[in-house]
mmCIF file of all heavy atoms in Angstrom:
data_model
loop_
_atom_site.group_PDB
_atom_site.id
_atom_site.type_symbol
_atom_site.label_atom_id
_atom_site.label_comp_id
_atom_site.label_asym_id
_atom_site.label_seq_id
_atom_site.Cartn_x
_atom_site.Cartn_y
_atom_site.Cartn_z
ATOM 1 N N PRO A 34 70.214 12.193 -16.338
ATOM 2 C CA PRO A 34 71.515 12.479 -15.703
ATOM 3 C C PRO A 34 72.490 13.204 -16.634
ATOM 4 O O PRO A 34 73.336 13.978 -16.180
ATOM 5 C CB PRO A 34 72.043 11.082 -15.337
ATOM 6 C CG PRO A 34 70.797 10.263 -15.162
ATOM 7 C CD PRO A 34 69.814 10.792 -16.181
ATOM 8 N N ASP A 45 44.931 12.720 -23.639
ATOM 9 C CA ASP A 45 44.766 12.318 -25.037
ATOM 10 C C ASP A 45 44.482 13.570 -25.877
ATOM 11 O O ASP A 45 43.433 14.204 -25.717
ATOM 12 C CB ASP A 45 43.604 11.316 -25.138
ATOM 13 C CG ASP A 45 43.441 10.800 -26.561
ATOM 14 O OD1 ASP A 45 44.315 11.112 -27.402
ATOM 15 O OD2 ASP A 45 42.435 10.109 -26.830
ATOM 16 N N ILE A 264 63.300 51.040 -5.396
ATOM 17 C CA ILE A 264 62.567 50.546 -4.232
ATOM 18 C C ILE A 264 61.986 49.156 -4.507
ATOM 19 O O ILE A 264 61.786 48.358 -3.602
ATOM 20 C CB ILE A 264 61.469 51.564 -3.838
ATOM 21 C CG1 ILE A 264 60.775 51.172 -2.554
ATOM 22 C CG2 ILE A 264 60.448 51.788 -4.915
ATOM 23 C CD1 ILE A 264 59.870 52.268 -2.022
ATOM 24 N N GLU A 287 41.892 37.029 -22.563
ATOM 25 C CA GLU A 287 41.038 38.045 -23.196
ATOM 26 C C GLU A 287 41.307 38.091 -24.704
ATOM 27 O O GLU A 287 40.398 38.042 -25.519
ATOM 28 C CB GLU A 287 41.344 39.390 -22.543
ATOM 29 C CG GLU A 287 40.250 40.440 -22.711
ATOM 30 C CD GLU A 287 40.675 41.562 -23.628
ATOM 31 O OE1 GLU A 287 41.893 41.817 -23.738
ATOM 32 O OE2 GLU A 287 39.790 42.145 -24.255
#
Side-chain angles (χ1 to χ4, degrees):
D45 183 8
I264 186 170
E287 200 250 334

